[in-house]
Amino acid sequence: MSKLFVGLFITLCICASSSSASDTYGVGIWNNGTNVNVGLVNYSRAAPTILKVVIQQFNFIGDASQISTYNYNTKQLTLVANIINTSQFFLITIDCNTWTIVSKSPISQNVNYYGLESDYSTNGTLFAPTTYGDGLIYMNILDPLSLAVRGTFDYFPGSVKGSVYDPVNQLYYICYTLATNANIRCRQYNSSYSLVQEKQLNVTNSNFQVIASPISLIYNPTTKTITCYLQMMNQYPTPSISYYFTLFDFENSVFNVIQQNHIYGTIVSTASDMNGLRLSYSVEYFNGQYQLWVVDTRFSTLLTRFALNTALLSIF
Ligand SMILES: *[C@@H]1O[C@H](CO)[C@@H](O)[C@H](O)[C@H]1NC(C)=O
Ligand SMILES: *[C@@H]1O[C@H](CO)[C@@H](O)[C@H](O)[C@H]1NC(C)=O
Ligand SMILES: *[C@@H]1O[C@H](CO)[C@@H](O)[C@H](O)[C@H]1NC(C)=O
Ligand SMILES: *[C@@H]1O[C@H](CO)[C@@H](O)[C@H](O)[C@H]1NC(C)=O
Ligand SMILES: *[C@@H]1O[C@H](CO)[C@@H](O)[C@H](O)[C@H]1NC(C)=O
Ligand SMILES: *[C@@H]1O[C@H](CO)[C@@H](O)[C@H](O)[C@H]1NC(C)=O
């Protein structure tokens, strides 16, 4: 209780001190029934979204499989969306400097992208784990502008759970499960796209059963840490499933559940603060409502939340 109070107090101070210099806002994706909307999201309060780009007659199915990514350097947003009421999917890149659609490329019927991740570089490498229906994950690199495949640096069996790039150490991680068990395995690649290590990561500080759902990996540039959400089954007092904010500690081969704080609804999308705060923002869908959670990434503390009046499906 007192912890929550301290947390709220810290959030208020952070908001008050940062509102003048750098706004805590980011880029978001939502649907309006006939179009995909892209615009600005305010993370400091429950403010209306600011619509910037309309992708006419398209639908965004949601970011559970990480089918969108944002390059904070070039401000290019790449997403997968389908023509409304059809299964024709496209890769689409939007330039968020000029708020224009710069590229749109159809995706073949049996091709699926999971765990899209930008490397944040100015030349904009796009990691695009791809499946073609043969049970393998192909580690493709896409050109964010032409959306053409530049190359494939690895392939292996599995089902993608998330992917993240660490721009300081220039390391890329992909996490996946094998059909035969729910343990999460992760591969680490260096900037020459060489596999450095592959490990199974076990959970510490919790003995709940992990559910092999997408884990929403994000990198926070202030704390220089990678965090994620693990969906786990708590047996007491009654069986219930919720998301636990977790430190991704590849070095020590663990997902570290620092706090027992948890979120009951569905984690729709998660973003790191890019204005020097050690915060992460998460959209949760619960009981027909979208809410934004603010989490202290260092202590995994859920600081505050507010109701969103836009059904945000992806945030950056
Ligand atoms: C969606 O947005 C378009 C304009 O971008 C508007 O014409 C249309 O009425 C909106 N649809 C709904 C259901 O709000
Ligand atoms: C976000 O909200 C803050 C605090 O109310 C406000 O100062 C700022 O102008 C808003 N930014 C945007 C982009 O709406
Ligand atoms: C898509 O399907 C909905 C529900 O069936 C329908 O109301 C709408 O008119 C359809 N839109 C298009 C563009 O076909
Ligand atoms: C992309 O840019 C980064 C620095 O931003 C550089 O290290 C890397 O070699 C470049 N890659 C290519 C393929 O040009
Ligand atoms: C990546 O790993 C490969 C294989 O170990 C090595 O040859 C290469 O120099 C490494 N690249 C970087 C940038 O560390
Ligand atoms: C992770 O758990 C597996 C199965 O319980 C065990 O074999 C393995 O040694 C553990 N790994 C670490 C790093 O503790």
Side-chain angles (χ1 to χ4, degrees), residues 120 164-171 173 188 217-228 245-251 258 272-280 296-299:
Y120 313 141
V164 68
Y165 187 73
D166 169 351
V168 169
N169 299 303
Q170 297 192 299
L171 294 167
Y173 298 90
Q188 181 195 55
L217 288 160
I218 52 165
Y219 176 83
N220 186 292
T222 307
T223 51
K224 297 186 170 53
T225 52
I226 296 171
T227 55
C228 65
F245 194 80
T246 303
L247 192 65
F248 172 82
D249 186 353
F250 187 81
E251 189 94 6
I258 310 170
S272 270
D273 183 89
M274 288 290 153
N275 292 301
L277 306 180
R278 55 171 196 244
L279 304 178
S280 89
D296 182 317
T297 57
R298 207 159 49 146
F299 305 116

Side-chain angles (χ1 to χ4, degrees), residues 170-171 189-196:
Q170 297 192 299
L171 294 167
Y189 298 93
N190 69 14
S191 57
S192 323
Y193 307 112
S194 290
L195 178 65
V196 182

Side-chain angles (χ1 to χ4, degrees), residues 81-247:
N82 62 301
I83 295 178
I84 203 149
N85 295 356
T86 75
S87 57
Q88 180 58 60
F89 285 84
F90 282 74
L91 267 166
I92 299 168
T93 294
I94 289 167
D95 182 332
C96 298
N97 298 293
T98 56
W99 298 109
T100 50
I101 299 169
V102 291
S103 199
K104 205 188 245 178
S105 167
I107 300 171
S108 303
Q109 211 63 54
N110 62 341
V111 177
N112 283 292
Y113 293 102
Y114 299 103
L116 288 183
E117 177 73 347
S118 165
D119 74 347
Y120 313 141
S121 71
T122 47
N123 48 28
T125 293
L126 208 57
F127 294 100
T130 313
T131 63
Y132 300 95
D134 60 2
L136 300 175
I137 302 162
Y138 291 83
M139 301 303 296
N140 288 338
I141 303 163
L142 296 185
D143 182 288
L145 288 180
S146 71
L147 297 168
V149 177
R150 275 188 196 151
T152 305
F153 60 90
D154 198 4
Y155 60 89
F156 51 88
S159 163
V160 178
K161 296 297 165 231
S163 103
V164 68
Y165 187 73
D166 169 351
V168 169
N169 299 303
Q170 297 192 299
L171 294 167
Y172 171 73
Y173 298 90
I174 181 157
C175 296
Y176 67 99
T177 53
L178 293 170
T180 46
N181 69 55
N183 293 325
I184 299 173
R185 309 188 63 80
C186 303
R187 288 188 170 209
Q188 181 195 55
Y189 298 93
N190 69 14
S191 57
S192 323
Y193 307 112
S194 290
L195 178 65
V196 182
Q197 283 185 82
E198 146 135 20
K199 290 178 177 182
Q200 178 189 315
L201 268 62
N202 294 342
V203 177
T204 57
N205 292 328
S206 169
N207 47 26
F208 301 151
Q209 186 197 333
V210 174
I211 293 161
S213 52
I215 61 174
S216 308
L217 288 160
I218 52 165
Y219 176 83
N220 186 292
T222 307
T223 51
K224 297 186 170 53
T225 52
I226 296 171
T227 55
C228 65
Y229 277 101
L230 285 186
Q231 198 178 24
M232 297 197 286
M233 168 86 83
N234 178 355
Q235 297 291 350
Y236 306 101
T238 54
S240 68
I241 293 172
S242 42
Y243 287 89
Y244 292 77
F245 194 80
T246 303
L247 192 65

